[in-house]
Amino acid sequence: MSPAGTAELLSAAVGTGRAVAAFNVLSLDHVEAVAAGAAAAGAPALLQLSENAIAFRGAPEPLLAACREAAAASGTPLAIHLDHIEDRELVARVLPRAADFGIGSLMFDASKLDYDANVAATREVVARAHDAGVWVEAELGEIGGKDGAHAPGVRTDPAEAASFVAATGVDALAVAVGSSHAMRDRSAQLDLELIARLREAVPVPLVLHGSSGVADDVIAQAVAAGIRKVNVGTALNVAYTAALRAALAEQPDAVDPRGYTATARRAMTELVAGFCRVVAAA
């Protein structure tokens, strides 16, 4: 099948009161693990490629092509999303080829700017993206755990969020409700009451970033409260690296990476399936 449309997946999630899990991919192993894990769970998912991952690889096209082919071969709907894009030149580079690569959405991140500048920049990108048939997520105020971010205690104000969505025309909003990027344990406590208030105030799907640091039961409660897209990145890398270290320790003479990276990929696959089941069953 062709890559799924993010708009369609999120619309279905809104209609059922559930969510879609979205996974940041860095390599072909990540792409294959997300596709296999989502298929094992029988749930849709998003393959997300961040600006940082693009910088690491040197260009967006090779990994986007891998995502497109994985989505085409998958037995479950997979959409392709660009995550935390700050560079408007990168937006301009990718949008004309969005249909070729099956890109259904992007998150434009101008949250380091002041409110008025964030609105202006986001509104400009939304107009260009919508012309290309691409759905847009944005962020109002930085979510904890990134360089230059507010302290993890920052919270999104419902009234300001509603004004931001109206002023920019975004299709989804990433909200600060207690999670933090790059957490290696799952101890984050979410403000579930705030999520419910944001759901009532904001007419677009709410996105939870930093979900690697949130326990399964809390994620389920967040989905019940109104979260519709659940972003996962660090947890994949923690699982991959731990499995890789263990495999290499057991095979100190190994030189063929297919053996030990296959073990690491399976660890990511199991993790993806687990997250997909949590958000699909909430």
Side-chain angles (χ1 to χ4, degrees), residues 22-174:
F23 300 93
N24 285 76
V25 298
L26 303 177
S27 68
L28 183 57
D29 277 338
H30 284 73
V31 173
E32 292 176 338
V34 173
L46 273 70
L47 294 155
Q48 298 196 149
L49 181 57
S50 72
E51 186 170 312
N52 286 336
I54 291 168
F56 172 72
R57 305 237 65 101
E61 289 83 3
L63 202 51
L64 280 172
C67 291
R68 178 191 61 204
E69 296 307 310
S74 176
T76 196
L78 296 176
I80 299 173
H81 177 82
L82 301 180
D83 190 39
H84 282 291
I85 306 299
E86 300 180 22
D87 184 356
R88 277 177 270 186
E89 291 185 5
L90 179 57
V91 173
R93 173 178 177 175
V94 172
L95 281 182
R97 302 189 65 193
D100 295 337
F101 286 108
I103 298 168
S105 56
L106 65 86
M107 187 236 182
F108 179 64
D109 184 357
S111 63
K112 292 178 182 177
L113 304 177
D114 64 38
Y115 179 83
D116 289 340
N118 186 349
V119 167
T122 302
R123 184 166 52 215
E124 176 190 339
V125 168
V126 167
R128 296 173 68 178
H130 284 177
D131 284 344
V134 173
W135 183 96
V136 181
E137 173 189 336
E139 182 176 308
L140 174 60
E142 294 175 317
I143 292 169
K146 296 185 294 180
D147 291 342
H150 295 294
V154 71
R155 297 290 185 269
T156 301
D157 177 76
E160 190 174 50
S163 296
F164 181 82
V165 170
T168 59
V170 296
D171 302 292
L173 187 69

